[in-house]
Amino acid sequence: MNGIQVDMKALKTGEVNLGTSIMAVTFDGGVILGADSRTTTGAFIANRVTDKLTQVHDTIWCCRSGSAADTQAVADIVQYHLQMYTVLNAEAPSTRVAAAVFQELCYANKDMLTAGIICAGYDNQYGGEVYSIPLGGSMHKQDYAIAGSGSTYIYGFCNTQYKPNMTKEDTIKFIKSALTEAIKWDGSSGGVIRMVVLTKDGVERLIFYPDDYQKD
Amino acid sequence: MTSIGTGYDLSNSVFSPDGRNFQVEYASKAVEADGTAIGIKCKDGVVLAVEKIVSSKLLVPGANKKIQTIDKHIGVAYSGLTPDGRHFVSQGRSEAYSWRGTYKVPISVTSMTDRLAGYVQAYTLYNSVRPFGISAIVGGVDQSGPHLFTIEPSGAYWGYLGAATGKGRQAAKSELEKLDLPNISAKDAVKAAAKIIYAAHDDSKDKDFELEISWVSISETKGVHEFVPKELLEEAERLAKEEDEDEEMEED
């Protein structure tokens, strides 16, 4: 296993899987998260409009891949920790702190979890930031991150197409075309493309339907 | 028994009829009996200084430091009972370590002060313990800039531009008020700190003392708490002595 892909064999029979294409990209004014919307139980599509982009603080979100149950549980616990952090310290946590909480949970419980998470957020001090937390529970700060089973098909594409400090419009276009390819080649990814834009102005949600992104 | 009453001062967690906790007030007396400690908030950092009373000629000069580091970026100076201060610092180090374990980033000075003050406050609540006999000055630099706090034996904490505790605190405070805080540079604050400790020192009560000065500054120490370099300490001390002698001449 290469640590990026979700290990399908690690799932229990019948467990709901996020065979996924997810990514998060920093840009000029912040960060954008993107994901497909397919949830599978074996060959069956359990949900074709899943929301894999989950809020853990005002402008700190995560992309979830792996077991739906595990990643929902982890995201819930992180959300609780960040809420407590905000109250106890009278200030919002940085994206790095949020990623560290994810990492600690994923590392300490690595034997029980199938969770590949990308944590991304915006704050006034550091701007947009992306942290990748793959299967073993390590933490990697990156300019952009891709993960999930579909991501393997777009490593080359992203490597050539990503440019630092893109505009918001260019970043949306980049994520849309990358996820379109991932969805096209990966049988476990599909449905709509969801995005969340995190900037100084707060949160903006986007959705792109197959009819739209497939024609590009 | 009068209303201020006797018998209300023997235990923690017992109020006097007019709402005072005498054990906490007695702890403040232990603070007032010890050497002066000051803290200065400057442009990009904090300077801490103490007047360390040398109680015996046999003590190793320069050893037995009174200013300590809690985390890389946070320093503490205190007046009062030294063992209480040592325990206080050790608690602070545990908090800093535990924070780094959880969040993988250094603790902010404000959060550290809040936790330490909470710890000190707990020692005013129970029958089986006594309050901390120290007033601590906590200073450091974090992501949001320089911070300076004092923590009292009651557990109360306050943010300051210039702070002083111990024997000479009154004199020190009036000297601190004359400074342009927090716009002073770290180097100037070191020199000012030396002068203030010398001005607050009472020669008639204690003959010998050692001057300890530490700083945390973005420009001078890259945000790390450390003792000031030997040359700077010596220069600051020389200037302080000159001024001190001049004033004594005027008084004569």
Side-chain angles (χ1 to χ4, degrees), chain B residues 69-188:
Chain B
T69 301
I70 278 188
D71 199 344
K72 271 179 93 166
H73 61 302
I74 304 179
V76 182
Y78 50 82
S79 300
L81 306 179
T82 306
D84 288 25
R86 295 277 192 241
H87 179 69
F88 174 86
V89 167
S90 135
Q91 179 61 25
R93 286 171 179 167
S94 304
E95 291 284 359
Y97 180 70
S98 128
W99 180 284
R100 285 184 114 100
T102 312
Y103 300 119
K104 313 289 189 290
V105 288
I107 189 169
S108 70
V109 184
T110 311
S111 295
M112 170 56 76
T113 306
D114 187 73
R115 285 171 174 225
L116 281 173
Y119 188 74
V120 169
Q121 197 278 145
Y123 278 73
T124 68
L125 296 173
Y126 302 99
N127 228 222
S128 51
V129 293
R130 61 169 176 75
F132 275 79
I134 57 162
S135 263
I137 300 174
V138 181
V141 170
D142 59 31
Q143 292 304 330
S144 61
H147 300 274
L148 179 68
F149 292 96
T150 62
I151 303 174
E152 297 170 3
S154 65
Y157 68 95
W158 310 95
Y160 279 103
L161 295 173
T165 63
K167 255 180 220 173
R169 69 194 174 286
Q170 294 300 355
K173 277 177 186 170
S174 60
E175 290 300 313
L176 283 165
E177 280 176 19
K178 293 175 193 164
L179 300 174
D180 178 24
L181 303 179
N183 304 313
I184 190 171
S185 76
K187 273 212 171 87
D188 288 346

Side-chain angles (χ1 to χ4, degrees), chain A residues 187-199:
Chain A
S188 317
S189 300
V192 300
I193 292 175
R194 294 186 187 280
M195 288 189 211
V196 165
V197 186
L198 270 20
T199 60

Side-chain angles (χ1 to χ4, degrees), chain A residues 5-213:
Chain A
Q5 268 179 305
V6 171
D7 184 3
M8 308 283 277
K9 279 169 287 183
L11 291 171
K12 299 175 186 83
T13 42
E15 188 170 1
V16 177
N17 179 24
L18 293 171
T20 295
S21 301
I22 51 172
M23 61 195 296
V25 184
T26 56
F27 73 103
D28 225 6
V31 64
I32 306 179
L33 300 86
D36 75 309
S37 71
R38 180 167 292 180
T39 303
T40 54
T41 322
F44 179 66
I45 298 172
N47 186 355
R48 65 192 180 101
V49 286
T50 319
D51 189 4
K52 299 174 189 178
L53 304 179
T54 305
Q55 190 173 31
V56 289
H57 200 78
D58 296 2
T59 54
I60 304 173
W61 290 58
C62 66
C63 313
R64 300 181 291 114
S65 78
S67 155
D70 290 358
T71 52
Q72 278 175 17
V74 169
D76 282 354
I77 295 166
V78 171
Q79 189 189 31
Y80 157 77
H81 277 292
L82 298 184
Q83 210 170 83
M84 286 304 288
Y85 180 103
T86 311
V87 173
L88 289 173
N89 303 297
E91 65 179 16
S94 61
T95 310
R96 192 192 160 83
V97 162
V101 178
F102 268 116
Q103 192 243 356
E104 193 61 37
L105 288 165
C106 289
Y107 179 73
N109 304 292
K110 53 158 44 174
D111 295 347
M112 294 184 285
L113 294 174
T114 308
I117 291 164
I118 299 172
C119 179
Y122 176 86
D123 56 64
N124 288 324
Q125 189 151 21
Y126 300 100
E129 283 189 317
V130 168
Y131 292 89
S132 173
I133 299 130
L135 239 46
S138 55
M139 181 168 89
H140 311 271
K141 186 177 189 301
Q142 290 167 351
D143 290 336
Y144 74 91
I146 57 177
S149 54
S151 68
T152 49
Y153 302 99
I154 56 169
Y155 269 81
F157 177 87
C158 292
N159 188 235
T160 52
Q161 295 307 118
Y162 170 79
K163 299 281 178 298
N165 306 115
M166 286 187 283
T167 63
K168 178 179 150 188
E169 287 68 32
D170 285 348
T171 312
I172 292 170
K173 227 170 116 184
F174 167 60
I175 295 174
K176 197 167 138 186
S177 40
L179 290 179
T180 301
E181 289 307 312
I183 286 168
K184 188 189 287 173
W185 295 103
D186 181 29
S188 317
S189 300
V192 300
I193 292 175
R194 294 186 187 280
M195 288 189 211
V196 165
V197 186
L198 270 20
T199 60
K200 66 172 167 45
D201 301 319
V203 183
E204 186 188 356
R205 258 192 176 284
L206 301 171
I207 185 166
F208 300 96
Y209 298 97
D211 288 349
D212 169 17
Y213 69 75

